[in-house]
Amino acid sequence: MAALVAGTPWMRIRVIPELAPPLLFRRHFPRNFSVRASADAGAPVRVRFAPSPTGNLHVGGARTALFNYLFARSKGGKFVLRIEDTDLERSTRESEEAVLRDLAWLGLDWDEGPGVGGDYGPYRQSERNSMYKQYAEKLLQSGQVYRCFCSNEELEKMKEIAELKKLPPVYSGKWATATDDEVQEELAKGTPYTYRFRVPKEGSLKINDIIRGEVSWKLDTLGDFVIMRSNGQPVYNFCVTVDDATMAISHVIRAEEHLPNTLRQALIYKALGFPMPSFAHVSLILAPDRSKLSKRHGATSVGQFREMGYLPQAMVNYLALLGWGDGTENEFFTIEQLVEKFSIGRVNKSGAVFDSTKLRWMNGQHLRALPSEELSKLIGERWKTTGLLTESEGPFEAVQLLKDGIDLVTDSDTVLSNLLSYPLHATLTSPEGKPIAEDNLYEVSASLLAAYDSGELFGALEEGHAGWQKWVKGFGKTLKRKEKSLFMPLRVLLTGKVHGPDMGSSVILIYKAGNHGVVACQTGFVTLKERLETLRQLDWEAVKQDHPALEPAATVSN
C-alpha cells in the first residue's frame, strides 16, 4: 500500500512493496510484453518540463515546455517545472536562472517548481539524491539490481570485443551471476562499484506513443545498464523515472531524441511497480537544410530572440505552429486561444522546419495587433533609449504612421531615421528619381518655395491633415497637375525620397518634429525649413547633368 514517508512536507513518496527474490526476477518480464499507461484514468493531468541548466533555453526546449503547458492548461491540469542538474560539472545556477527567466518571459508560468514550491518537491534533482539511493537499495535488495565491480579498462575491452564480433556494445554480464562471497571480497578490498539493472536477455518491449503510435525494442540490444555510478551519483534514466513516478506525472511530453531512453525507463517503472505515464515524443525542430537546428544556423535560444526585439506572444505563436495546427488556415493565435484549441493528437510526428523569415513576419503581425497606446509606448521608449528622441512620450502619430514597416521593435530605429533623413541628392540621380526630375521638377520646386515664402504652406500644415489636403488641391490646380504627376514631385521635394509612408502624414510629422525639438541633435534630422532652403540653393542645370549642386542642409540652416 502507499504510505507517506517522514521528512520535508513537500515529500510524498510511496514506499515500494517487497518484491520477488532474485531467482524469480525474470518471471516479472514475459518474453514479449507491452507497457501502457497505467495511471488512474480519472487522475488529474500532471505534466512536467525538465530542463538541464547547462546552457541557454533552446527554441526546441521552449516548444516542448509550451506543448506541456498548453496540454496542462487545456485539461485543467498542473504544469510542473523540474531542474535536472545531476550533471554537476556543467550545471550552473546562472543557467538555471536564465532558463527560468526565459520561461517567465514567454508567459509559461509553472504551478509547481523552483520559486513556487509544491507538494512533490524538492524540484531540483541535486536535492533528491537520498530518494534515488532509497529506491536503488530497494532494487538491490530485490535482486533486480546488482553491484558491478568492473573497471573502466575491463568495460573498454568488452566494447572492443563486441565491435570485432559486430555485436551491439552491451555489457557482458560478468557480475550478474557473482556469488555473495565474490561480492563481499570486492567490498572488503574497497573496490569501486556501480549498480546495474538486470535486463532480460530475450524478448521485446512495446509502448503506444500518443504521437508516434506503437514503438518497440528488442531487449537483447540493451544489456544490463548502470543506474548508480561508482561515485554514488544516480544516472539520468533512473532519476527521471523515480522523479516522474513520485511526482505523479501522468503524461511525459518530450523531444523525440528521448525516445530511446523510454526502454530503460519502462523497465525501471515495471521493476519498481510504478504506474506508467503516457508518452508523447515530439519531433525535432529542423534547420532549412533539414538538419537538426543548431548554433551554426543562427539564433537558436529564446534569450537571443528576446534581445533581437521579438515579442513573447509572437514566439509562443510561432513555436506552437512548429508541428501543430488546429486544422484550419488560421496561423494567428494568442496564448489563450492556443490553450482553447490545443490537442496533443494534432501534433505531427514529422520534423518541423524553423523559418526565421516567417517568425519575423509573425512578430510584425503581433506587434501591429497591440493596442495603439501600448505600441506607441513600447516604440517610444525604444527611440528614447537609442538616442533618436529626447523623450518617450508623444510619438503616437509617428508610430501609427510607420508601424507597417516595423516587424521587430529594433526595426523602428531604421524607419524613423529614414523619415528624418533627406537624401535628395541620391534620389535625383537614381534611376527612379531621374524621370521625376526631368518632368519639370524645377517648376514644382519654384512654386513650392513661393508657398513657403508666403507662409501659405506652413499655415496649411498648422491646420493638420485637413489644411494639407486643401492646400495640395489648390497647389495642383495652379500647376495643372494631379495624382501621380503632382504627388511624386512633392514627395521627392519634401521627403527626399520616391517611396515612403503617406506623404501628407509624413510632411506634417516632419514639420512638427522641427518645431517641438523632440528629435535628438545627433540623428541627422533635416527639418522642413532646412529642406526648403536646400531647394532654394539647388542648381537645376546641374541636376540635368546628373550632378546636383546641393549644399548640406546643416550649412544652409547656419
Side-chain angles (χ1 to χ4, degrees), residues 367-390:
L367 191 70
R368 287 182 283 278
L370 292 174
S372 297
E373 290 186 5
E374 184 179 344
L375 178 62
S376 296
K377 181 180 180 182
L378 178 67
I379 294 180
E381 288 176 351
R382 166 75 188 184
W383 285 339
K384 183 179 180 182
T385 301
T386 55
L388 288 172
L389 300 184
T390 57

PDB file of all heavy atoms in Angstrom, residues 367-390:
ATOM      1  N   LEU A 367       2.951  42.577 -33.307  1.00  0.00           N
ATOM      2  CA  LEU A 367       3.328  43.941 -32.927  1.00  0.00           C
ATOM      3  C   LEU A 367       2.229  44.925 -33.318  1.00  0.00           C
ATOM      4  O   LEU A 367       1.806  45.766 -32.519  1.00  0.00           O
ATOM      5  CB  LEU A 367       4.652  44.315 -33.605  1.00  0.00           C
ATOM      6  CG  LEU A 367       5.338  45.597 -33.136  1.00  0.00           C
ATOM      7  CD1 LEU A 367       5.885  45.411 -31.727  1.00  0.00           C
ATOM      8  CD2 LEU A 367       6.471  45.971 -34.080  1.00  0.00           C
ATOM      9  N   ARG A 368       1.740  44.790 -34.536  1.00  0.00           N
ATOM     10  CA  ARG A 368       0.715  45.719 -35.026  1.00  0.00           C
ATOM     11  C   ARG A 368      -0.652  45.438 -34.418  1.00  0.00           C
ATOM     12  O   ARG A 368      -1.562  46.269 -34.515  1.00  0.00           O
ATOM     13  CB  ARG A 368       0.660  45.658 -36.551  1.00  0.00           C
ATOM     14  CG  ARG A 368       1.883  46.332 -37.193  1.00  0.00           C
ATOM     15  CD  ARG A 368       1.805  46.322 -38.704  1.00  0.00           C
ATOM     16  NE  ARG A 368       2.131  45.032 -39.281  1.00  0.00           N
ATOM     17  CZ  ARG A 368       3.363  44.595 -39.500  1.00  0.00           C
ATOM     18  NH1 ARG A 368       4.402  45.338 -39.170  1.00  0.00           N
ATOM     19  NH2 ARG A 368       3.580  43.415 -40.054  1.00  0.00           N
ATOM     20  N   ALA A 369      -0.807  44.259 -33.796  1.00  0.00           N
ATOM     21  CA  ALA A 369      -2.069  43.934 -33.137  1.00  0.00           C
ATOM     22  C   ALA A 369      -2.149  44.494 -31.718  1.00  0.00           C
ATOM     23  O   ALA A 369      -3.205  44.440 -31.087  1.00  0.00           O
ATOM     24  CB  ALA A 369      -2.267  42.415 -33.100  1.00  0.00           C
ATOM     25  N   LEU A 370      -1.037  45.034 -31.223  1.00  0.00           N
ATOM     26  CA  LEU A 370      -1.046  45.620 -29.887  1.00  0.00           C
ATOM     27  C   LEU A 370      -1.961  46.840 -29.846  1.00  0.00           C
ATOM     28  O   LEU A 370      -2.097  47.544 -30.853  1.00  0.00           O
ATOM     29  CB  LEU A 370       0.378  46.050 -29.481  1.00  0.00           C
ATOM     30  CG  LEU A 370       1.410  44.951 -29.233  1.00  0.00           C
ATOM     31  CD1 LEU A 370       2.778  45.585 -28.997  1.00  0.00           C
ATOM     32  CD2 LEU A 370       1.012  44.085 -28.053  1.00  0.00           C
ATOM     33  N   PRO A 371      -2.575  47.128 -28.711  1.00  0.00           N
ATOM     34  CA  PRO A 371      -3.347  48.377 -28.583  1.00  0.00           C
ATOM     35  C   PRO A 371      -2.457  49.568 -28.932  1.00  0.00           C
ATOM     36  O   PRO A 371      -1.258  49.567 -28.625  1.00  0.00           O
ATOM     37  CB  PRO A 371      -3.750  48.383 -27.104  1.00  0.00           C
ATOM     38  CG  PRO A 371      -3.730  46.944 -26.699  1.00  0.00           C
ATOM     39  CD  PRO A 371      -2.629  46.303 -27.494  1.00  0.00           C
ATOM     40  N   SER A 372      -3.027  50.587 -29.567  1.00  0.00           N
ATOM     41  CA  SER A 372      -2.249  51.721 -30.069  1.00  0.00           C
ATOM     42  C   SER A 372      -1.385  52.363 -28.991  1.00  0.00           C
ATOM     43  O   SER A 372      -0.206  52.672 -29.221  1.00  0.00           O
ATOM     44  CB  SER A 372      -3.191  52.768 -30.674  1.00  0.00           C
ATOM     45  OG  SER A 372      -3.871  52.233 -31.779  1.00  0.00           O
ATOM     46  N   GLU A 373      -1.944  52.557 -27.813  1.00  0.00           N
ATOM     47  CA  GLU A 373      -1.179  53.205 -26.743  1.00  0.00           C
ATOM     48  C   GLU A 373      -0.001  52.341 -26.305  1.00  0.00           C
ATOM     49  O   GLU A 373       1.096  52.852 -26.046  1.00  0.00           O
ATOM     50  CB  GLU A 373      -2.084  53.509 -25.554  1.00  0.00           C
ATOM     51  CG  GLU A 373      -3.085  54.620 -25.823  1.00  0.00           C
ATOM     52  CD  GLU A 373      -3.876  54.993 -24.578  1.00  0.00           C
ATOM     53  OE1 GLU A 373      -3.570  54.458 -23.490  1.00  0.00           O
ATOM     54  OE2 GLU A 373      -4.803  55.813 -24.688  1.00  0.00           O
ATOM     55  N   GLU A 374      -0.225  51.031 -26.218  1.00  0.00           N
ATOM     56  CA  GLU A 374       0.843  50.118 -25.807  1.00  0.00           C
ATOM     57  C   GLU A 374       1.957  50.085 -26.849  1.00  0.00           C
ATOM     58  O   GLU A 374       3.150  50.099 -26.507  1.00  0.00           O
ATOM     59  CB  GLU A 374       0.279  48.713 -25.602  1.00  0.00           C
ATOM     60  CG  GLU A 374       1.300  47.718 -25.071  1.00  0.00           C
ATOM     61  CD  GLU A 374       0.713  46.339 -24.846  1.00  0.00           C
ATOM     62  OE1 GLU A 374      -0.534  46.211 -24.816  1.00  0.00           O
ATOM     63  OE2 GLU A 374       1.504  45.371 -24.712  1.00  0.00           O
ATOM     64  N   LEU A 375       1.584  50.052 -28.121  1.00  0.00           N
ATOM     65  CA  LEU A 375       2.571  50.052 -29.198  1.00  0.00           C
ATOM     66  C   LEU A 375       3.372  51.347 -29.197  1.00  0.00           C
ATOM     67  O   LEU A 375       4.604  51.337 -29.337  1.00  0.00           O
ATOM     68  CB  LEU A 375       1.874  49.857 -30.545  1.00  0.00           C
ATOM     69  CG  LEU A 375       2.768  49.873 -31.789  1.00  0.00           C
ATOM     70  CD1 LEU A 375       3.778  48.737 -31.726  1.00  0.00           C
ATOM     71  CD2 LEU A 375       1.922  49.772 -33.056  1.00  0.00           C
ATOM     72  N   SER A 376       2.681  52.479 -29.029  1.00  0.00           N
ATOM     73  CA  SER A 376       3.370  53.775 -29.021  1.00  0.00           C
ATOM     74  C   SER A 376       4.333  53.881 -27.851  1.00  0.00           C
ATOM     75  O   SER A 376       5.446  54.404 -27.989  1.00  0.00           O
ATOM     76  CB  SER A 376       2.346  54.910 -28.961  1.00  0.00           C
ATOM     77  OG  SER A 376       1.544  54.914 -30.128  1.00  0.00           O
ATOM     78  N   LYS A 377       3.924  53.378 -26.697  1.00  0.00           N
ATOM     79  CA  LYS A 377       4.797  53.424 -25.525  1.00  0.00           C
ATOM     80  C   LYS A 377       6.023  52.543 -25.736  1.00  0.00           C
ATOM     81  O   LYS A 377       7.160  52.948 -25.429  1.00  0.00           O
ATOM     82  CB  LYS A 377       4.024  52.967 -24.290  1.00  0.00           C
ATOM     83  CG  LYS A 377       4.853  53.007 -23.017  1.00  0.00           C
ATOM     84  CD  LYS A 377       4.044  52.539 -21.810  1.00  0.00           C
ATOM     85  CE  LYS A 377       4.900  52.579 -20.545  1.00  0.00           C
ATOM     86  NZ  LYS A 377       4.145  52.075 -19.374  1.00  0.00           N
ATOM     87  N   LEU A 378       5.805  51.340 -26.274  1.00  0.00           N
ATOM     88  CA  LEU A 378       6.894  50.395 -26.496  1.00  0.00           C
ATOM     89  C   LEU A 378       7.947  50.977 -27.437  1.00  0.00           C
ATOM     90  O   LEU A 378       9.152  50.955 -27.146  1.00  0.00           O
ATOM     91  CB  LEU A 378       6.328  49.095 -27.079  1.00  0.00           C
ATOM     92  CG  LEU A 378       7.321  47.987 -27.425  1.00  0.00           C
ATOM     93  CD1 LEU A 378       7.961  47.429 -26.164  1.00  0.00           C
ATOM     94  CD2 LEU A 378       6.630  46.870 -28.199  1.00  0.00           C
ATOM     95  N   ILE A 379       7.489  51.523 -28.564  1.00  0.00           N
ATOM     96  CA  ILE A 379       8.432  52.041 -29.555  1.00  0.00           C
ATOM     97  C   ILE A 379       8.976  53.399 -29.125  1.00  0.00           C
ATOM     98  O   ILE A 379      10.150  53.710 -29.369  1.00  0.00           O
ATOM     99  CB  ILE A 379       7.755  52.097 -30.940  1.00  0.00           C
ATOM    100  CG1 ILE A 379       7.443  50.663 -31.404  1.00  0.00           C
ATOM    101  CG2 ILE A 379       8.630  52.820 -31.949  1.00  0.00           C
ATOM    102  CD1 ILE A 379       6.786  50.561 -32.743  1.00  0.00           C
ATOM    103  N   GLY A 380       8.162  54.211 -28.463  1.00  0.00           N
ATOM    104  CA  GLY A 380       8.643  55.495 -27.970  1.00  0.00           C
ATOM    105  C   GLY A 380       9.783  55.324 -26.989  1.00  0.00           C
ATOM    106  O   GLY A 380      10.790  56.058 -27.044  1.00  0.00           O
ATOM    107  N   GLU A 381       9.662  54.338 -26.103  1.00  0.00           N
ATOM    108  CA  GLU A 381      10.737  54.064 -25.148  1.00  0.00           C
ATOM    109  C   GLU A 381      11.984  53.561 -25.870  1.00  0.00           C
ATOM    110  O   GLU A 381      13.107  53.883 -25.475  1.00  0.00           O
ATOM    111  CB  GLU A 381      10.266  53.042 -24.118  1.00  0.00           C
ATOM    112  CG  GLU A 381       9.246  53.617 -23.132  1.00  0.00           C
ATOM    113  CD  GLU A 381       8.705  52.577 -22.177  1.00  0.00           C
ATOM    114  OE1 GLU A 381       8.994  51.376 -22.377  1.00  0.00           O
ATOM    115  OE2 GLU A 381       7.987  52.968 -21.230  1.00  0.00           O
ATOM    116  N   ARG A 382      11.771  52.791 -26.929  1.00  0.00           N
ATOM    117  CA  ARG A 382      12.904  52.308 -27.726  1.00  0.00           C
ATOM    118  C   ARG A 382      13.633  53.492 -28.357  1.00  0.00           C
ATOM    119  O   ARG A 382      14.861  53.570 -28.318  1.00  0.00           O
ATOM    120  CB  ARG A 382      12.389  51.346 -28.806  1.00  0.00           C
ATOM    121  CG  ARG A 382      13.389  51.018 -29.914  1.00  0.00           C
ATOM    122  CD  ARG A 382      14.458  50.075 -29.461  1.00  0.00           C
ATOM    123  NE  ARG A 382      15.498  49.922 -30.476  1.00  0.00           N
ATOM    124  CZ  ARG A 382      16.516  49.089 -30.367  1.00  0.00           C
ATOM    125  NH1 ARG A 382      16.637  48.319 -29.298  1.00  0.00           N
ATOM    126  NH2 ARG A 382      17.436  49.004 -31.306  1.00  0.00           N
ATOM    127  N   TRP A 383      12.901  54.424 -28.932  1.00  0.00           N
ATOM    128  CA  TRP A 383      13.520  55.573 -29.588  1.00  0.00           C
ATOM    129  C   TRP A 383      14.282  56.459 -28.607  1.00  0.00           C
ATOM    130  O   TRP A 383      15.338  56.993 -28.914  1.00  0.00           O
ATOM    131  CB  TRP A 383      12.453  56.389 -30.314  1.00  0.00           C
ATOM    132  CG  TRP A 383      11.994  55.737 -31.591  1.00  0.00           C
ATOM    133  CD1 TRP A 383      12.666  54.803 -32.317  1.00  0.00           C
ATOM    134  CD2 TRP A 383      10.771  55.967 -32.284  1.00  0.00           C
ATOM    135  NE1 TRP A 383      11.941  54.428 -33.423  1.00  0.00           N
ATOM    136  CE2 TRP A 383      10.761  55.130 -33.439  1.00  0.00           C
ATOM    137  CE3 TRP A 383       9.660  56.791 -32.056  1.00  0.00           C
ATOM    138  CZ2 TRP A 383       9.711  55.110 -34.343  1.00  0.00           C
ATOM    139  CZ3 TRP A 383       8.611  56.766 -32.960  1.00  0.00           C
ATOM    140  CH2 TRP A 383       8.633  55.938 -34.091  1.00  0.00           C
ATOM    141  N   LYS A 384      13.754  56.589 -27.400  1.00  0.00           N
ATOM    142  CA  LYS A 384      14.471  57.384 -26.398  1.00  0.00           C
ATOM    143  C   LYS A 384      15.733  56.653 -25.950  1.00  0.00           C
ATOM    144  O   LYS A 384      16.809  57.265 -25.812  1.00  0.00           O
ATOM    145  CB  LYS A 384      13.576  57.661 -25.192  1.00  0.00           C
ATOM    146  CG  LYS A 384      14.258  58.552 -24.164  1.00  0.00           C
ATOM    147  CD  LYS A 384      13.381  58.851 -22.975  1.00  0.00           C
ATOM    148  CE  LYS A 384      14.132  59.752 -21.974  1.00  0.00           C
ATOM    149  NZ  LYS A 384      13.306  60.026 -20.776  1.00  0.00           N
ATOM    150  N   THR A 385      15.630  55.331 -25.758  1.00  0.00           N
ATOM    151  CA  THR A 385      16.773  54.538 -25.310  1.00  0.00           C
ATOM    152  C   THR A 385      17.908  54.566 -26.318  1.00  0.00           C
ATOM    153  O   THR A 385      19.090  54.644 -25.946  1.00  0.00           O
ATOM    154  CB  THR A 385      16.341  53.071 -25.066  1.00  0.00           C
ATOM    155  OG1 THR A 385      15.317  53.048 -24.072  1.00  0.00           O
ATOM    156  CG2 THR A 385      17.514  52.224 -24.601  1.00  0.00           C
ATOM    157  N   THR A 386      17.568  54.518 -27.605  1.00  0.00           N
ATOM    158  CA  THR A 386      18.599  54.507 -28.646  1.00  0.00           C
ATOM    159  C   THR A 386      19.082  55.903 -29.018  1.00  0.00           C
ATOM    160  O   THR A 386      19.956  56.047 -29.877  1.00  0.00           O
ATOM    161  CB  THR A 386      18.070  53.804 -29.910  1.00  0.00           C
ATOM    162  OG1 THR A 386      16.851  54.424 -30.337  1.00  0.00           O
ATOM    163  CG2 THR A 386      17.825  52.332 -29.644  1.00  0.00           C
ATOM    164  N   GLY A 387      18.515  56.938 -28.385  1.00  0.00           N
ATOM    165  CA  GLY A 387      19.000  58.301 -28.609  1.00  0.00           C
ATOM    166  C   GLY A 387      18.428  58.996 -29.822  1.00  0.00           C
ATOM    167  O   GLY A 387      18.953  60.047 -30.237  1.00  0.00           O
ATOM    168  N   LEU A 388      17.342  58.469 -30.405  1.00  0.00           N
ATOM    169  CA  LEU A 388      16.724  59.137 -31.547  1.00  0.00           C
ATOM    170  C   LEU A 388      15.833  60.291 -31.087  1.00  0.00           C
ATOM    171  O   LEU A 388      15.775  61.333 -31.747  1.00  0.00           O
ATOM    172  CB  LEU A 388      15.901  58.141 -32.363  1.00  0.00           C
ATOM    173  CG  LEU A 388      16.705  57.110 -33.176  1.00  0.00           C
ATOM    174  CD1 LEU A 388      15.777  56.068 -33.776  1.00  0.00           C
ATOM    175  CD2 LEU A 388      17.515  57.801 -34.267  1.00  0.00           C
ATOM    176  N   LEU A 389      15.129  60.094 -29.975  1.00  0.00           N
ATOM    177  CA  LEU A 389      14.254  61.135 -29.431  1.00  0.00           C
ATOM    178  C   LEU A 389      14.723  61.524 -28.035  1.00  0.00           C
ATOM    179  O   LEU A 389      15.357  60.734 -27.332  1.00  0.00           O
ATOM    180  CB  LEU A 389      12.799  60.635 -29.366  1.00  0.00           C
ATOM    181  CG  LEU A 389      12.132  60.217 -30.675  1.00  0.00           C
ATOM    182  CD1 LEU A 389      10.677  59.841 -30.421  1.00  0.00           C
ATOM    183  CD2 LEU A 389      12.226  61.315 -31.727  1.00  0.00           C
ATOM    184  N   THR A 390      14.392  62.731 -27.637  1.00  0.00           N
ATOM    185  CA  THR A 390      14.781  63.204 -26.312  1.00  0.00           C
ATOM    186  C   THR A 390      13.755  62.849 -25.250  1.00  0.00           C
ATOM    187  O   THR A 390      14.014  62.969 -24.065  1.00  0.00           O
ATOM    188  CB  THR A 390      14.980  64.733 -26.336  1.00  0.00           C
ATOM    189  OG1 THR A 390      13.753  65.348 -26.789  1.00  0.00           O
ATOM    190  CG2 THR A 390      16.115  65.114 -27.279  1.00  0.00           C
TER     191      THR A 390
END
